[in-house]
Amino acid sequence: MTAIFLIVILAALAGFAARIFSVQQQSSGLDVQGSQAYAAAQSGIDWGAYQILTAAPGVTCPADTDLVMPAGPASAFIVTVTCASTATTEAGNTVTMYQLLSTACNQPS
């Protein structure tokens, strides 16, 4: 009777340890995907800033764009970059402010 009890307890502990290991592996994978999404979104911000800084005179904002990341760790992501600009006058000078929004998604709808 004691042997059966010990076998059941040890089997339960082994199952519990296997489940914990599985959850840790999933958490690690999601952490990596989060870092890749952040890097992809940052690339979208860099792209938008470059478009603004190299734009022809009179062009205020690049068009909303979906970027497909090239081969690499972030290649599974589609990055959507949107831009909004606001012109204000400060001390007699016109100043244009830009707001860039970059969203990286690995399951675009």
Side-chain angles (χ1 to χ4, degrees), residues 26-103:
Q26 289 174 347
S27 295
S28 177
L30 291 174
D31 187 39
V32 168
Q33 281 188 341
S35 296
Q36 290 172 345
Y38 177 78
Q42 185 62 46
S43 296
I45 292 291
D46 294 342
W47 177 86
Y50 176 80
Q51 298 301 315
I52 291 168
L53 293 172
T54 60
V59 176
T60 57
C61 232
D64 294 351
T65 306
D66 286 338
L67 303 172
V68 178
M69 302 312 298
S75 63
F77 293 91
I78 302 290
V79 179
T80 303
V81 180
T82 58
C83 179
S85 63
T86 305
T88 60
T89 303
E90 294 181 5
N93 296 321
T94 300
V95 177
T96 304
M97 294 180 286
Y98 297 93
Q99 180 181 7
L100 289 171
L101 175 65
S102 178
T103 305

